[in-house]
Amino acid sequence: MADEDECSNVLPVSRCPFGHGTATVDPYPGYVHGKHPAVCPRGCVPLKADVSKAEAPKDKLKREATEFIELYGKENKVSEEDTMRRVAEVLESIESTGTYTHTIDEIRHGARVSWRNAPKCINRKFYNTLDVIDAREATTNEQMFEAIKTHLKRGIGADHIPVL
């Protein structure tokens, strides 16, 4: 009986043909997802907050990672075979370590999607120009300081100010 309760808290991966993924209705009710035909003609329905809170953290990570990798593949025209291979790799990593590491392209895409989907941002139309500087290898104070200096030089060292 306990196994049945555990299984009932696992939410399915969203299969929205537009790659909207699963969304909760809090803290912004009616956020980009919903049954508005201009947003999703298929009627993606946001989850109620109490439903998603009942999901086990590891299951939530697996579901969200799968949705993100599938969205990345769809929007970047990655073959379905390569996308499924990456999903399997991510799920394997989550199962064995409890986490996974994004590629730099996935980080860049995630940052752009976040900006694109920010409903209150007036400049979100420029989301595609966003660039990401990968400084994950910086582990010491000195390395972090150098990464920050590089970021600042790159941001203000040109005739125009790029979005970083």
Side-chain angles (χ1 to χ4, degrees):
M1 195 69 141
D3 290 339
E4 288 178 23
D5 290 339
E6 282 182 31
C7 292
S8 65
N9 291 338
V10 176
L11 299 174
V13 171
S14 172
R15 296 295 177 210
C16 171
F18 299 97
H20 287 153
T22 307
T24 58
V25 294
D26 68 331
Y28 303 110
Y31 178 60
V32 235
H33 298 69
K35 288 191 172 189
H36 192 286
V39 176
C40 184
R42 305 289 175 137
C44 297
V45 181
L47 296 172
K48 299 290 183 212
D50 56 338
V51 173
S52 63
K53 288 178 183 170
E55 188 177 23
K58 196 173 196 177
D59 294 328
K60 181 178 179 182
L61 178 61
K62 287 179 179 179
R63 176 180 50 78
E64 289 178 348
T66 300
E67 289 174 355
F68 175 75
I69 300 299
E70 288 177 353
L71 176 68
Y72 172 82
K74 181 181 186 102
E75 292 190 356
N76 288 287
K77 297 177 178 50
V78 177
S79 73
E80 190 172 333
E81 184 180 297
D82 289 343
T83 299
M84 290 301 108
R85 187 177 10 245
R86 177 66 179 143
V87 166
E89 182 182 306
V90 164
L91 293 177
E92 155 105 22
S93 178
I94 292 171
E95 198 57 47
S96 62
T97 66
T99 188
Y100 73 103
T101 303
H102 288 287
T103 65
I104 185 62
D105 287 335
E106 290 168 353
I107 292 172
R108 193 173 287 123
H109 180 73
R112 288 175 180 168
V113 167
S114 295
W115 192 9
R116 178 186 73 197
N117 291 346
K120 296 183 179 188
C121 180
I122 195 166
N123 284 325
R124 68 185 179 150
K125 63 184 173 188
F126 301 112
Y127 80 92
N128 218 19
T129 65
L130 179 68
D131 195 10
V132 175
I133 298 172
D134 188 5
R136 291 181 284 180
E137 76 284 349
T139 57
T140 66
N141 291 342
E142 293 78 19
Q143 291 172 332
M144 194 61 180
F145 183 64
E146 289 302 316
I148 291 168
K149 287 193 322 188
T150 301
H151 179 90
L152 290 172
K153 285 178 188 171
R154 189 167 165 204
I156 60 176
D159 291 338
H160 75 288
I161 299 176
V163 180
L164 299 172

